Amino acid sequence: MDSGSKQVDPTEVVKALRRILPRHCILSDAEDTRPYECDSLTTYRQLPMIVTLPENEEQIIGILQVCRQFQLPIVPRGAGTGLSGGAMPIANGLVLSTAKLNRLIRLDPSARVAVVQPGVRNLAISDAAAHAGLYYAPDPSSQLACTIGGNVAENAGGVHCLKYGLTVHNVLRVRVITIDGDILELGGESLDAPGLDLLSLFIGSEGMLGIVTEITVKLIPKAPTAQVILASFDDIQKAGNAVAAVIAQGIIPAALEMMDQTSVRMVEPFVKAGYDLNAKAILLCEADGTIEEVGEEIARMSQVLNDAGASALRVSFSEQERLKFWSGRKNAFPAAGRISPDYYSVDGTIPRQHLAQVLLAIGQMEKKYGLVCANVFHAGDGNLHPLILFDANQEGSFEKAEAFGADILELCVELGGSITGEHGVGVEKLNSMCVQFNAAELNTFFALKAAFDPKSLLNPGKGIPSLQRCAEYGRMRVSQGQLKFPHLERF
Amino acid sequence: MDSGSKQVDPTEVVKALRRILPRHCILSDAEDTRPYECDSLTTYRQLPMIVTLPENEEQIIGILQVCRQFQLPIVPRGAGTGLSGGAMPIANGLVLSTAKLNRLIRLDPSARVAVVQPGVRNLAISDAAAHAGLYYAPDPSSQLACTIGGNVAENAGGVHCLKYGLTVHNVLRVRVITIDGDILELGGESLDAPGLDLLSLFIGSEGMLGIVTEITVKLIPKAPTAQVILASFDDIQKAGNAVAAVIAQGIIPAALEMMDQTSVRMVEPFVKAGYDLNAKAILLCEADGTIEEVGEEIARMSQVLNDAGASALRVSFSEQERLKFWSGRKNAFPAAGRISPDYYSVDGTIPRQHLAQVLLAIGQMEKKYGLVCANVFHAGDGNLHPLILFDANQEGSFEKAEAFGADILELCVELGGSITGEHGVGVEKLNSMCVQFNAAELNTFFALKAAFDPKSLLNPGKGIPSLQRCAEYGRMRVSQGQLKFPHLERF
């Protein structure tokens, strides 16, 4: 996959780019390109050769033409809030930032859609639609900063995706420029689109298939009201079973989050959300809708949580209290940064019924690696975000955290889950992809990638591990006596 | 795409297949293969060389191996209820029927999933889950007969997909055998899956990418109650605007159907559903949920419908009456068969706000072609099913009906909609695909197809038109002075 090794003269590339782009849209000095050396997975850094900031489709087509001419790999980039290194630059490559493509093209409240450029911020769409009582549902915690283009690349989720879906469920159409400069329109405003479903294929493809230049998103009506239950449990097993019980009842909460005692104790002194410091785990269960709907759902959920053995339940009685209950969950990441020099955020999924089992196993891993892990889960959809605390200044500490994270992801696969819930694969999870998929499956990914981008110029080295890498990873795991996935031996 | 032209000796193929399959799983005499010569698009017929009915994955892998050896094209087939000819056989090819793969593998009410083989009937899944209060949501009108494998191939919809989604929104995972005999597991029980979204790509791929052998579907809780409003309008424009107004209000009805006067007058004498024969159009607007939710939504929808100028509203007061109101809509196709020797069912989508405009344009086309069209629409999601009545015994009558249908689909594209809502492309809509997509888009489809099936053995000639075909279609349209889509000239 890697085509970034060829040596190219940067001044020649800049010269070619200047024929297409105004000067202020090309950055090539290290001091200018430094801000682009990583995304929010800051442990992986690399200065790119050149950063471009195109202002329109014509300029993008021109940039791609220059990249084809010089065989230069291209790394597309939104706001750089990604957590798996999907936007990490390549040394002899070009970064294509969508920062200047930030126009809201059309807002149609009656059809409940918005058409935007990729550089528009996630929250800016909801702000623009607020006057019509509408909003864009997926809400990654970076939603103030992250762009819709990056959301498309990573199939971003958020706290409310249990009820309202991921990016793939909320995008109706994208306009794409292929590596050859062709324009494709994928999807449409109707429910189904003819032909192969290229829209879903693009969403979550981490910039490996093309450059998205327009996105049509679904807008949905803002629920008139919402309430949240804050439930305490004196036992992890009971909390895990309570989550499964809520869903099994046929309730689809607007959000269903879980925090373990470590996270509660990490966050409570910091934000004073009113969490129970003695609880082994807490749940936040939100209902939204009309007053009647919310009242009924809160009553049903309270019943299920009580039956599941909750030690205490509190229901938010005002919007202010609802936001207070949420403030702890929303500040979990900053709180980790407050008590620990560094933290490593893991992202995997499991079938809901195994929540308690995973928490117990993570407890064992904490002992194995001598590191503390704070567990914050989108429990309703089985999406785990363990935060492994470490100190990068201690030699070998990051490597330990990374191995700890890989262990958690392999446990996810073993339990029938997956190695990413909403952060993507990027560079971070290439090894874990070898655990998740067999050689035939990876070969299918390669073949698809090659169908769009035969010379692998678009974000090479991300998303899909080479079979060679998987073979090496398998050998390493065997030598450590850890091989749980026999197919790794066959790579 | 066509690889079905090579001459192969059928007795040699049968001999090879007998090493893999028991005798009763191979049909090669014309009297045995006759039932497979078409699907429900009965105007396209072709006897296949051989029909196979494998009983397990091993046999499928064996069949594919024989097909590779003889370069024999394969047409996968479910129950044959498809309406676009996706399962039409190829003369020198093999039909692979999933009829014997009809086992329900696992039903897990607490995780709300079922794992089934492709030959399981759509309604059989809901029947099996009924004891737990769950069901499988997509409900194509053929749901008693059609299989889930066929639903996956065509991304089937149904009356309730406005609220509950198409097949792609209700399938979590598929297990697939590639043309090379490799096994792929696509998707999973969690909300997101890592890597490229091959699951969505497979759903709706009309058997062109692989053979599905296992399907994990979402089960959802059966709503405690439902009510339907039967609304009459003395004007088409008002009815169309009423549909857009309901949706713009943020209401997502369980179903929102529209029938024009021709359909009402066609169906009412036959089923006595209580429809208003003087109405220019009627709407059926259903709400489901708890008693409180249904009551509130019915009240809101009634208000919107009144404001939009409905001439009469009736709300079903019992389950029996609800089914009576629906009986007319559900019998529209049989009623067409009762009053006309033949009918041609069209399937396209448009943005909702253009419903009235399309009905008026169809009225003009009725005059142009001298044929009657009864309009039955999944209006809420803009999915049109005009039924063009004709008599196949009259020379040129079918060709006129087909041209009429193509005109409707091109109007859909012109208005920003698409050429299929839920029936797929098959052989029927190859020309219309040329109108919907440009050469770069079709080339992307070809490249993807080739990534899975380089020799194009899987259902060749379906789903994607060749560029040559599009060029010919463009020339034909020019000679008729009808070219509305300039890109057709460039094929």
Side-chain angles (χ1 to χ4, degrees), chain A residues 108-112 154-155 161-162 165-166 168-169 178 182-185 189-198 200-201 203-205 208-209 221 244 247-248 250-252 290 292-293 296 349 352-353 381 416-422 425 433 436-438 440-441 444-445 447-449 451-452 464, chain B residues 108-112 154-155 161-162 165-166 168-169 178 182-185 189-198 200-201 203-205 208-209 221 244 247-248 250-252 290 292-293 296 349 352-353 381 416-422 425 433 436-438 440-441 444-445 447-449 451-452 464:
Chain A
D108 183 343
S110 76
R112 296 212 265 131
E154 300 296 339
N155 191 17
C161 67
L162 171 62
L166 300 164
V168 70
H169 307 110
T178 67
D182 288 325
I183 291 181
L184 310 180
E185 297 264 351
E189 292 188 22
S190 41
L191 199 54
D192 187 28
L196 298 173
D197 187 353
L198 300 186
S200 299
L201 187 69
I203 295 174
S205 65
M208 296 187 293
L209 305 183
I247 303 295
I251 303 167
I252 303 177
T290 61
E292 295 76 11
E293 283 165 356
E296 194 192 311
T349 71
R352 277 178 294 265
Q353 66 265 34
D381 50 5
S418 81
I419 59 157
T420 171
E422 54 185 12
V425 173
M433 284 288 280
Q436 184 96 55
F437 295 106
N438 64 31
E441 287 159 345
T444 306
F445 288 141
L448 280 188
K449 164 71 170 158
F452 281 92
I464 317 169
Chain B
D108 183 343
S110 75
R112 295 211 265 131
E154 300 296 338
N155 191 18
C161 67
L162 172 62
L166 300 165
V168 69
H169 305 111
T178 67
D182 288 326
I183 289 180
L184 310 179
E185 296 264 351
E189 292 188 22
S190 40
L191 200 55
D192 188 27
L196 298 172
D197 187 351
L198 301 187
S200 300
L201 187 68
I203 295 174
S205 63
M208 297 187 293
L209 305 183
I247 302 295
I251 303 168
I252 304 178
T290 62
E292 295 76 10
E293 284 164 357
E296 195 190 310
T349 72
R352 277 177 295 264
Q353 67 266 34
D381 50 5
S418 79
I419 59 156
T420 169
E422 52 184 13
V425 174
M433 285 288 280
Q436 183 96 57
F437 295 107
N438 64 31
E441 287 158 346
T444 307
F445 289 140
L448 281 188
K449 164 71 172 159
F452 281 91
I464 317 170

Side-chain angles (χ1 to χ4, degrees), chain A residues 129-315:
Chain A
H131 73 276
L134 300 171
Y135 76 112
Y136 174 68
D139 56 346
S141 41
S142 58
Q143 71 177 146
L144 194 66
C146 67
T147 62
I148 187 73
N151 292 178
V152 165
E154 300 296 339
N155 191 17
V159 164
H160 292 91
C161 67
L162 171 62
K163 183 166 179 179
Y164 296 108
L166 300 164
T167 304
V168 70
H169 307 110
N170 290 276
V171 166
L172 296 170
R173 172 191 149 273
V174 295
R175 184 174 160 96
V176 169
I177 303 182
T178 67
I179 186 68
D180 294 321
D182 288 325
I183 291 181
L184 310 180
E185 297 264 351
L186 313 179
E189 292 188 22
S190 41
L191 199 54
D192 187 28
L196 298 173
D197 187 353
L198 300 186
L199 176 64
S200 299
L201 187 69
F202 252 83
I203 295 174
S205 65
E206 307 202 76
M208 296 187 293
L209 305 183
I211 309 294
V212 175
T213 61
E214 260 184 48
I215 299 149
T216 303
V217 301
K218 229 192 267 186
L219 301 174
I220 62 169
K222 223 174 144 40
T225 188
Q227 271 185 297
V228 67
I229 305 172
L230 172 59
S232 304
F233 288 84
D234 56 17
D235 176 84
I236 285 172
Q237 186 82 44
K238 284 184 198 163
N241 291 345
V243 171
V246 168
I247 303 295
Q249 273 293 312
I251 303 167
I252 303 177
L256 177 40
E257 299 282 310
M258 183 171 179
M259 293 172 73
D260 70 355
Q261 192 167 41
T262 306
S263 337
V264 166
R265 292 189 173 178
M266 178 175 84
V267 87
E268 183 59 24
F270 179 35
V271 296
K272 310 217 170 12
Y275 294 171
D276 180 353
L277 293 168
N278 293 318
K280 287 281 187 286
I282 64 156
L283 297 182
L284 287 162
C285 313
E286 183 156 283
D288 67 6
T290 61
I291 291 176
E292 295 76 11
E293 283 165 356
V294 170
E296 194 192 311
E297 194 168 300
I298 290 287
R300 284 180 72 199
M301 288 199 291
S302 301
Q303 180 71 50
V304 176
L305 295 168
N306 271 325
D307 291 350
S311 56
L313 289 192
R314 289 166 62 192
V315 179

Side-chain angles (χ1 to χ4, degrees), chain B residues 1 33 57 129 135 138 149 162 165 185 215 254 273 282 287 294 313 341 397 402 416 436 463 483:
Chain B
M1 298 284 293
T33 59
E57 284 190 343
Y135 75 112
L162 172 62
E185 296 264 351
I215 299 148
I282 64 157
V294 170
L313 289 191
S397 179
E402 211 174 27
Q436 183 96 57
L483 197 76

Side-chain angles (χ1 to χ4, degrees), chain B residues 179 207-209 448-460:
Chain B
I179 186 69
M208 297 187 293
L209 305 183
L448 281 188
K449 164 71 172 159
F452 281 91
D453 178 22
K455 295 193 173 151
S456 199
L457 294 178
L458 288 164
N459 219 3

